[in-house]
Amino acid sequence: MSILVVGSVAFDALKTPFGQVDRAIGGSATYFSVAASFFTPVELVAVVGDDFTAKDAAVFEGRPINTDGLQRVSGAKTFFWSGEYGYDLNVAKTRDTQLNVFAEFKPRLTPKQQQADVLFLANIDPELQMEVLKQTKRPRIVALDTMNYWITSKRDALERIFREVDLIVINEAEVRQFMNESNLVKAARAILALGPKTLVIKRGEYGVLMITGDSAFAVPAYPLENVFDPTGAGDTFAGGFLGFLASRREVTDKEFRRAIIFGSVLASFTVEKFSLDRLREISISDIQERYQAFRTLTHFEDFEI
Ligand code: AMP
C-alpha cells in the first residue's frame, strides 16, 4: 500500500549530556519517511527554505521516497527546532521553535497523492493536518502524531482532527496533558471515546503501549547501552510501524503487533547517534537481526501453577 506523510522537515539544534550539534537535519516527516522507506514507498509532503541544500536533501536519496511534494520557498528559512535533554532522556525541553516556511505553507496534493492508502499526519500544525486529510480520498488508515507545543497552542484544532483519524501515535506525557488526567489508562480511554480505534502510546525508554477498544499490547524499548540522542525516536517508531503495516496485504491484529516491534526496532537505531546518522547507515539485515533479538527479549513459556 502507498503511504503519504505530511510533517516537518527541519534543522535541529540539539544538546544532550553527551554532545551537541547546531544544525542537524531533523523534522517529523524526515525521520518518518526514512524509517518507513525500509518497507514501502513513501510520498513526502513538506516545505523547506532555500537554506536546505542538495547535500541536506541527500537524506532522502537512494530510497523509495518521492520528494516531488517537498516544496522549496526561496528567500525563506527552513523550520527550526532547538531541544535539550538532561540525563532523563525521556524528557525533551524545547528551547526554541521557529516555524519559518511552515507559517505560510498551504499543501496541495497531486491526484496521485490524494489516492494514498495510508496517510500519516506527522507532528505539525493540526490545521495543516486537517487541510491534507480533507484533500485525500478515503485512505484505508489515517494516523496522526502531535506534541505538547500544539496541545498548548491549538487544542481545539487538535481535538477536531483527533475525531477524524483511525490511529493516534502519541507520547505518554501528551496523553495525560491532552486529557488533563494523570491516570494513563483513563486518559487513553477518553481519547478513544473521541473516535480513533487505536492509540499507540510512546513511553520513551519504557517502550510502547497500544490500546484499542477491547485489547492492549505492551512492549519494552530495546535495552541499549548506547543511547546518545533520543530526538526523532517517536517519528522513527511511527515510520517503522506504519511502513511495515502498509507493506502487508492484510492489516490484522497479528500484523499490528509485528508492526509495533518493527517500529521499536527502527527507533532503537535512531537514538544511537545524532540526527538520522545511525538510520542512514543501517540495512534491512540489521533490522531483521534486531527484530529477532526483540523476540528473544520478550519470549516466555506458558506455565500453570
Ligand atoms: P520526536 O520524534 O518527538 O523526538 O521528534 C523530533 C522532531 O520533531 C525534531 O527533529 C523536530 O524538528 C521536530 N519538531 C519539534 N517541534 C515540532 C513542532 N512544533 N512541529 C513539528 N515538528 C516539530
Side-chain angles (χ1 to χ4, degrees):
M1 291 192 273
S2 57
I3 196 160
L4 173 70
V5 55
V6 60
S8 57
V9 171
F11 289 127
D12 292 342
L14 308 167
K15 191 168 177 208
T16 81
F18 319 109
Q20 71 180 75
V21 281
D22 296 332
R23 183 193 182 275
I25 294 174
S28 53
T30 314
Y31 285 102
F32 180 90
S33 305
V34 172
S37 71
F38 283 102
F39 302 105
T40 202
V42 180
E43 291 279 336
L44 168 67
V45 173
V47 62
V48 288
D50 51 14
D51 51 353
F52 197 82
T53 64
K55 197 169 162 225
D56 297 320
V59 69
F60 301 118
E61 273 165 27
R63 302 174 189 278
I65 302 174
N66 186 352
T67 54
D68 290 352
L70 181 63
Q71 278 182 34
R72 193 177 290 269
V73 180
S74 55
K77 282 165 76 180
T78 299
F79 179 97
F80 174 78
W81 181 69
S82 170
E84 183 175 352
Y85 306 83
Y87 280 96
D88 180 356
L89 294 169
N90 282 349
V91 185
K93 187 168 161 248
T94 294
R95 294 194 297 186
D96 193 10
T97 301
Q98 296 172 16
L99 295 180
N100 296 330
V101 281
F102 269 102
E104 303 291 327
F105 183 46
K106 293 269 175 286
R108 286 283 156 264
L109 302 189
T110 62
K112 185 180 169 214
Q113 290 166 342
Q114 291 171 5
Q115 304 290 341
D117 299 306
V118 179
L119 171 63
F120 186 61
L121 304 164
N123 178 25
I124 195 65
D125 186 332
E127 289 177 19
L128 277 184
Q129 293 178 320
M130 187 65 97
E131 273 182 39
V132 169
L133 176 61
K134 277 190 191 153
Q135 291 174 48
T136 55
K137 305 228 156 64
R138 302 207 157 273
R140 283 178 63 184
I141 305 174
V142 179
L144 168 146
D145 188 5
T146 192
M147 74 181 289
N148 51 9
Y149 183 87
W150 304 112
I151 298 177
T152 309
S153 61
K154 298 218 171 167
R155 189 177 186 303
D156 291 349
L158 201 52
E159 186 170 324
R160 279 196 294 277
I161 187 88
F162 273 19
R163 291 180 181 279
E164 302 293 325
V165 304
D166 303 302
L167 194 151
I168 298 177
V169 184
I170 187 170
N171 281 346
E172 176 175 10
E174 289 152 5
V175 174
R176 295 194 168 98
Q177 182 191 357
F178 187 80
M179 277 300 159
N180 206 3
E181 164 65 63
S182 65
N183 183 288
L184 190 62
V185 180
K186 273 193 198 159
R189 293 265 168 245
I191 292 181
L192 288 178
L194 295 174
K197 291 188 280 291
T198 309
L199 199 61
V200 178
I201 304 173
K202 298 172 287 180
R203 306 183 62 226
E205 65 180 307
Y206 305 110
V208 174
L209 173 64
M210 176 168 67
I211 301 188
T212 62
D214 54 8
S215 75
F217 177 61
V219 292
Y222 188 73
L224 290 169
E225 279 189 32
N226 191 11
V227 179
F228 194 76
D229 167 26
T231 309
D235 306 307
T236 307
F237 168 83
F241 173 68
L242 282 178
F244 177 77
L245 273 187
S247 74
R248 312 308 293 163
R249 228 175 311 137
E250 290 187 352
V251 183
T252 57
D253 182 59
K254 199 167 159 182
E255 300 294 11
F256 258 84
R257 288 173 183 234
R258 284 187 178 136
I260 292 276
I261 307 295
F262 276 113
S264 307
V265 164
L266 266 299
S268 76
F269 285 112
T270 287
V271 302
E272 287 180 334
K273 288 191 176 174
F274 267 134
S275 184
L276 288 96
D277 292 357
R278 183 74 180 115
L279 214 49
R280 293 172 82 167
E281 288 171 354
I282 60 169
S283 64
I284 280 288
S285 60
D286 296 310
I287 296 171
Q288 196 60 54
E289 197 178 305
R290 199 165 281 182
Y291 182 85
Q292 291 309 330
F294 234 105
R295 272 196 81 197
T296 314
L297 175 73
T298 53
H299 179 81
F300 53 89
E301 295 291 332
D302 210 6
F303 184 78
E304 268 182 47
I305 303 172

